[in-house]
Amino acid sequence: MTEEGADRADGRFGPGSHLLVTGGAGFIGSCFVRDILGRRDGTQITVIDKLTYAGNRANLAPVEADAEQAGRLRFVVGDIADPAVVGPLVADAEAVVNFAAESHVDRSIHDPEAFLVTGVIGVHVLLEACRREAARAAGGERPAAPRFLQVSTDEVYGSVETGHSREGDRLEPRSPYSAAKAAGEILARSYHVTHGLDVVVTRGSNTYGPYHHPEKLIPLFITNAIDDRPLPLYGDGLQRRDWLHVADHAGAVEHVLRFGRAGEVYNVPGEAELPNRQVVERLLDLLGKPWSLVRRVEDRPGHDRRYALDGTKLRALGWRNRMSFETGLAATVDWYQANEAWWRAARSGDWDTYYERQYGARLAGSAQAARE
Ligand code: NAD
Ligand code: DAU
């Protein structure tokens, strides 16, 4: 093994293992599931997903359409905060990869409760199940304790005006979403310290790519622009995000699962930091649509100005991203153009109610955004 800092045998959680993936019908979780099962290496995956508005079984359609892959997937509709559902699933698994969360900052401003229930109580329920399995392993009832990987976010560092956040930096979350994410990962790490659980944490950057729910910046602006609808840019649009392709995020999570050191946190940067305005310009160029669609709207309350991660620790573990932002963004635009049925379905149900609450008043009082 060449990875510096790795403390696990290369084979653990590799081909043939059995993983429990929570939130596996969401954006990043489904990519993780598709990519691993698509390798046809014998790995079995159980997904537990509550199928909230953001969860979509169609995200796993490529797996379910392939008999060999479908045979290695078990899909359970359930809540990670429900111990009766979670217990037996963790008992069957060698590792738990926790993607499940409410993930949209804007929704956390209006309705924070579900963020806390899933992000804190849900994590607690999963950890208690892992603790029971660790005790069974200590008693010789299973070969090893399960590893628990908590998928966290760069937002736990809060807004970073200059420089790049390192894993030991202070956590200063500033939205209900990021506060719940910080609480969840701190709880997970406390189980490592107090109970000796095998816990690892990843903190990923802003992720983009196919199957991304259209409430988020990139898919919202692509799908609105396809329909020639206004693009609501918050404030001056100079907030900066670091963009990470979903396949690289999922790949890095798997790498940390296999090679990360117990008790450690790993940043997962995209290494593509841009102001929102530039992202929008690139999208419009790719779509052949005019800047006149862009509206300057009232800013998000508490809007973090910038996130930026230092990726030294993950690089030392042997991980390299594979997708450039230029290639990834162009492929993402192509995907939305080719998969209109998928995103139109995601923009149905309570979408219009959500959209009106989030953007109705903002757009009514908006002006075309100046191009700088
Ligand atoms: P998503 O909203 O697309 O998917 C979340 C999934 O979790 C959905 O399928 C949903 O049904 C499921 N879920 C929600 N509550 C649940 C519960 N109580 N029990 C079981 N399932 C539940 O989110 P995403 O963008 O794929 O993010 C996945 C994880 O990665 C989250 O933990 C998020 O905080 C983290 N993250 C996301 C990004 C990003 O840019 N998208 C970046 C860094 C970290
Ligand atoms: O940084 C990681 C985080 O990235 C994840 O933890 C979150 O789950 C994920 O949702 C994402 O959070 P952001 O708030 O950064 O993503 P969002 O797509 O909502 O917004 C990206 C930027 O675009 C942000 O500066 C707000 C701005 N924005 C967003 C929307 C939806 C707009 O200007 N207009 C919009 O309509």
Side-chain angles (χ1 to χ4, degrees):
M1 188 186 326
T2 55
E3 283 81 3
E4 194 185 309
D7 65 347
R8 315 189 62 87
D10 186 34
R12 204 166 172 210
F13 315 121
S17 56
H18 184 175
L19 310 178
L20 176 62
V21 178
T22 76
F27 168 47
I28 310 171
S30 69
C31 180
F32 182 88
V33 173
R34 289 191 307 271
D35 288 356
I36 290 182
L37 293 181
R39 288 205 298 260
R40 300 175 189 279
D41 65 7
T43 303
Q44 293 180 54
I45 292 183
T46 298
V47 166
I48 175 174
D49 197 295
K50 192 177 168 185
L51 294 180
T52 67
Y53 77 93
N56 186 350
R57 275 201 81 153
N59 296 359
L60 294 172
V63 167
E64 289 176 335
D66 178 308
E68 193 280 332
Q69 293 182 55
R72 289 180 288 112
L73 173 68
R74 178 179 173 210
F75 193 97
V76 177
V77 180
D79 189 335
I80 61 162
D82 181 346
V85 179
V86 162
L89 301 182
V90 174
D92 284 346
E94 290 162 61
V96 179
V97 185
N98 184 29
F99 289 99
E102 291 291 331
S103 67
H104 192 30
V105 174
D106 287 327
R107 291 187 192 251
S108 82
I109 294 166
H110 292 284
D111 297 314
E113 190 173 333
F115 289 75
L116 296 167
V117 173
T118 298
V120 185
I121 305 299
V123 173
H124 162 73
V125 168
L126 291 169
L127 289 166
E128 280 297 310
C130 288
R131 184 153 81 102
R132 274 193 302 279
E133 292 311 306
R136 288 185 59 229
E141 293 174 59
R142 57 179 281 164
R147 165 158 272 203
F148 182 80
L149 188 147
Q150 175 65 11
V151 179
S152 190
T153 170
D154 61 1
E155 299 205 11
V156 296
Y157 294 111
S159 194
V160 182
E161 302 305 317
T162 55
H164 292 80
S165 304
R166 297 181 71 101
E167 288 82 351
D169 288 357
R170 234 173 103 109
L171 303 190
E172 298 188 62
R174 291 161 23 97
S175 73
Y177 163 72
S178 54
K181 292 299 295 182
E185 67 151 273
I186 291 169
L187 188 65
R189 287 188 282 133
S190 82
Y191 272 65
H192 170 71
V193 175
T194 304
H195 298 298
L197 274 198
D198 181 1
V199 169
V200 278
V201 174
T202 57
R203 294 186 186 139
S205 290
N206 271 69
T207 305
Y208 72 99
Y211 300 97
H212 199 188
H213 192 281
E215 67 190 353
K216 308 286 169 45
L217 176 77
I218 287 180
L220 179 71
F221 279 30
I222 295 173
T223 56
N224 275 10
I226 288 174
D227 282 347
D228 296 312
R229 293 168 66 130
L231 311 183
L233 189 64
Y234 293 157
D236 62 9
L238 293 175
Q239 305 84 4
R240 300 176 77 87
R241 297 291 185 268
D242 167 36
W243 294 97
L244 170 65
H245 191 268
V246 65
D248 280 330
H249 194 157
V253 166
E254 188 189 1
H255 192 81
V256 170
L257 178 72
R258 297 191 65 193
F259 300 109
R261 189 184 293 277
E264 294 292 323
V265 177
Y266 296 89
N267 287 341
V268 185
E271 291 156 345
E273 184 189 331
L274 286 171
N276 291 340
R277 275 176 170 274
Q278 274 186 35
V279 174
V280 176
E281 278 173 4
R282 290 186 190 204
L283 286 176
L284 290 170
D285 283 350
L286 287 163
L287 287 156
K289 297 285 182 173
W291 178 262
S292 58
L293 286 175
V294 183
R295 298 281 183 279
R296 179 179 178 135
V297 301
E298 184 191 332
D299 209 348
R300 170 186 283 174
H303 197 169
D304 287 336
R305 199 70 182 159
R306 174 174 178 263
Y307 305 128
L309 292 176
D310 181 297
T312 307
K313 191 169 169 184
L314 184 62
R315 270 199 305 280
L317 201 64
W319 175 256
R320 299 285 181 277
N321 287 339
R322 296 175 183 125
M323 185 71 88
S324 73
F325 188 61
E326 290 67 28
T327 307
L329 196 69
T332 301
V333 167
D334 288 348
W335 189 88
Y336 280 87
Q337 286 176 320
N339 289 276
E340 210 167 306
W342 181 92
W343 61 260
R344 290 211 186 274
R347 292 178 63 132
S348 65
D350 70 356
W351 173 264
D352 287 343
T353 312
Y354 163 75
Y355 200 84
E356 178 56 28
R357 181 184 69 175
Q358 185 61 29
Y359 297 108
R362 280 187 160 100
L363 283 168
S366 70
Q368 194 180 308
R371 191 162 195 177
E372 299 195 343

